[in-house]
Amino acid sequence: MRDPLLLGARFGRCMALALFAATILLLLALREGAHFNAPTTLSIPILMYHHVGDWGETRSDWSPWVVRSKEFQAQMDWLVTHGFRTITFQELLAMSAKHESPPAKSVVITFDDGWAAQEGVVRTELEPRGMHAVLFVYTGAIGPTPNNSGYISWEQLRALEAAGHEVQSHTISHGQLTAMPPSQLEREMRESRATIEKELHHPVEVIAYPYGMHDEQVMRAAANAGYKLGLRADADSAVGEPLQYRMPRIRVGYDDGIDIFAALMDSSQLRVNAQKPMQ
Ligand SMILES: [Zn+2]
């Protein structure tokens, strides 16, 4: 049984994060030439997942990045029940180019790192619910065909994209971008993008920073490399206001129940309602 004080603390943490708007996406600022630190104007929740499974307790070092299978299923059911529909970044950017707003109750479901097991989660949990995922892969880990590396392959990613899912960049090496010299930073940005575009034949315009680590130099490098959005790995208000190249994402914890998930999603919707309507 869960400790009610612990649950309360967790709920408080989530609410504090959510008050800052779990996720905010600026469409108006996505026009060509937008400044790399343009502010955001429209909220869309972006959920961030890594692993779905029941092994978080046995690997405590990994537990922040694992969500229990039954909790994940409950979260996806909650989204369906509450009228949410998944949207991909390519769809969002296409709407932005036409100055259109995304449908109400849009949500982006992201998976980081390109783990092979994510394919099963997407196939068995998202697709039966009519949902699509965005996978952020780091290209140095991806081989041409399925293998024993633990990582997904280009062949599998092509099949997932054929089913409506989307692949975007998580760099080449998954290194800490903030610790890299400028030449390496630029290469991580540009070559990962070029590799995914060559393998999957579509523009790659969104990057998720490994570990969420970023600074002004990283955000500027992302803009210079042609990305239109840069994503963090948290929604902590202490990081600063949401920017086009500093987009927050909602991380759901291993033991976070549907009550906490609902609070995060409800708060992000409140934030949407508080925003001025799109022009
Ligand atoms: Zn990662």
Side-chain angles (χ1 to χ4, degrees), residues 104-116:
K105 295 207 168 185
S106 294
V107 61
V108 186
I109 300 178
T110 69
F111 289 86
D112 281 14
D113 296 349
W115 302 106

Side-chain angles (χ1 to χ4, degrees), residues 50 112-113 115 136 138 170 174 208-212 249:
H50 287 71
D112 281 14
D113 296 349
W115 302 106
F136 286 95
Y138 60 104
H170 201 34
H174 206 280
Y209 308 125
Y211 316 102
R249 288 190 288 173

Side-chain angles (χ1 to χ4, degrees), residues 97-212:
K98 293 187 283 186
H99 299 281
E100 293 175 0
S101 297
K105 295 207 168 185
S106 294
V107 61
V108 186
I109 300 178
T110 69
F111 289 86
D112 281 14
D113 296 349
W115 302 106
Q118 291 169 351
E119 182 188 32
V121 175
V122 169
R123 296 293 194 191
T124 61
E125 302 298 344
L126 265 57
E127 291 186 359
R129 293 175 173 86
M131 296 170 145
H132 290 139
V134 176
L135 296 98
F136 286 95
V137 304
Y138 60 104
T139 56
I142 311 298
T145 53
N147 53 61
N148 295 325
S149 67
Y151 290 95
I152 202 164
S153 68
W154 291 116
E155 185 179 297
Q156 289 164 299
L157 291 171
R158 268 189 285 276
L160 286 170
E161 290 211 328
H165 309 288
E166 180 177 302
V167 177
Q168 299 283 353
S169 177
H170 201 34
T171 73
I172 302 171
S173 69
H174 206 280
Q176 297 182 9
L177 297 176
T178 51
M180 291 178 186
S183 59
Q184 186 184 357
L185 175 58
E186 182 180 339
R187 179 171 168 263
E188 292 275 353
M189 296 275 182
R190 291 187 186 278
E191 290 189 17
S192 61
R193 183 176 181 217
T195 299
I196 300 170
E197 291 183 344
K198 175 171 149 288
E199 294 284 350
L200 302 178
H201 308 294
H202 66 78
V204 172
E205 298 179 312
V206 186
I207 186 165
Y209 308 125
Y211 316 102

